[in-house]
Amino acid sequence: GENVEQHPSTLSVQEGDSAVIKCTYSDSASNYFPWYKQELGKRPQLIIDIRSNVGEKKDQRIAVTLNKTAKHFSLHITETQPEDSAVYFCADNSGGGADGLTFGKGTHLIIQP
Amino acid sequence: DSGVTQTPKHLITATGQRVTLRCSPRSGDLSVYWYQQSLDQGLQFLIQYYNGEERAKGNILERFSAQQFPDLHSELNLSSLELGDSALYFCASSAHRANTEAFFGQGTRLTVV
């Protein structure tokens, strides 16, 4: 079936440095790519999303880039802060008929003080 | 608060039993999605309903079923429960059928003993 590969599974960075998480997808029909942040014991929350008609989107310290040819997209967090520590999931809309989301396995981001 | 309400928050039951999880979507949202989150499988899309009709199916077992009622709340029924069904079950809702932000509820933690 369709899948989304996410790397790395764990990422540790110094506070103030940048963090990059990468995902690849397999379904060429995918056209919606959200990123969710999940803190321990809490629900996933959307932090940014991108549609296939754009290559990059920014929201303050967070940016997402999309390369449709290579079928990969990345999350960039600059000037990381302790509250950025969480598990981040990428996804595409290849789940069950293009409406459900197929999620990557997640990246545990650790911000070292 | 996402506006999506799930009950109960926790559920402990024995193998072979049947349980029902309930979800009330955000006011005005027509789509409801069910996801299962486990340590080994990550976040998996189960099923989607749109305005009362089944819209998309993911990795949902035959022992599991769902429905969406006229008031748009949804129920996920899990039967003949096995130890491996222990997981966090999330409901999410969105305004349109596809490519829009999905808001997650707090989840129901199911433990099968």
Side-chain angles (χ1 to χ4, degrees), chain A residues 36 38 43 51 93 96 99 101, chain B residues 37 48 55-56 98-99 102:
Chain A
Y36 282 81
Q38 187 177 27
R43 62 186 171 90
R51 289 169 177 77
N93 60 334
D99 280 358
L101 297 175
Chain B
Q37 186 173 35
Q48 179 208 359
R55 165 70 182 163
N99 298 349

Side-chain angles (χ1 to χ4, degrees), chain A residues 55-70:
Chain A
E56 184 173 358
K57 184 176 178 180
K58 279 191 76 172
D59 183 3
Q60 298 182 353
R61 297 186 297 108
I62 295 172
V64 57
T65 58
L66 171 65
N67 183 327
K68 283 192 67 181
T69 303

Side-chain angles (χ1 to χ4, degrees), chain A residues 37-56:
Chain A
K37 175 183 180 183
Q38 187 177 27
E39 296 175 2
L40 190 63
K42 297 194 175 180
R43 62 186 171 90
Q45 289 186 272
L46 182 78
I47 55 170
I48 195 166
D49 57 13
I50 191 168
R51 289 169 177 77
S52 58
N53 57 343
V54 298
E56 184 173 358

Side-chain angles (χ1 to χ4, degrees), chain A:
Chain A
E2 309 304 342
N3 68 322
V4 175
E5 300 281 340
Q6 183 172 349
H7 300 281
S9 56
T10 303
L11 179 60
S12 182
V13 301
Q14 289 295 124
E15 182 178 350
D17 287 350
S18 295
V20 180
I21 302 171
K22 299 182 178 181
C23 291
T24 59
Y25 62 98
S26 59
D27 187 351
S28 55
S30 296
N31 57 12
Y32 176 62
F33 307 90
W35 285 88
Y36 282 81
K37 175 183 180 183
Q38 187 177 27
E39 296 175 2
L40 190 63
K42 297 194 175 180
R43 62 186 171 90
Q45 289 186 272
L46 182 78
I47 55 170
I48 195 166
D49 57 13
I50 191 168
R51 289 169 177 77
S52 58
N53 57 343
V54 298
E56 184 173 358
K57 184 176 178 180
K58 279 191 76 172
D59 183 3
Q60 298 182 353
R61 297 186 297 108
I62 295 172
V64 57
T65 58
L66 171 65
N67 183 327
K68 283 192 67 181
T69 303
K71 291 185 187 170
H72 66 69
F73 56 114
S74 300
L75 177 72
H76 304 253
I77 305 174
T78 59
E79 300 171 20
T80 53
Q81 300 168 6
E83 54 265 35
D84 295 330
S85 293
V87 179
Y88 292 80
F89 293 94
C90 63
D92 74 357
N93 60 334
S94 64
D99 280 358
L101 297 175
T102 299
F103 285 88
K105 293 291 188 187
T107 295
H108 186 193
L109 177 61
I110 301 165
I111 308 300
Q112 304 278 8

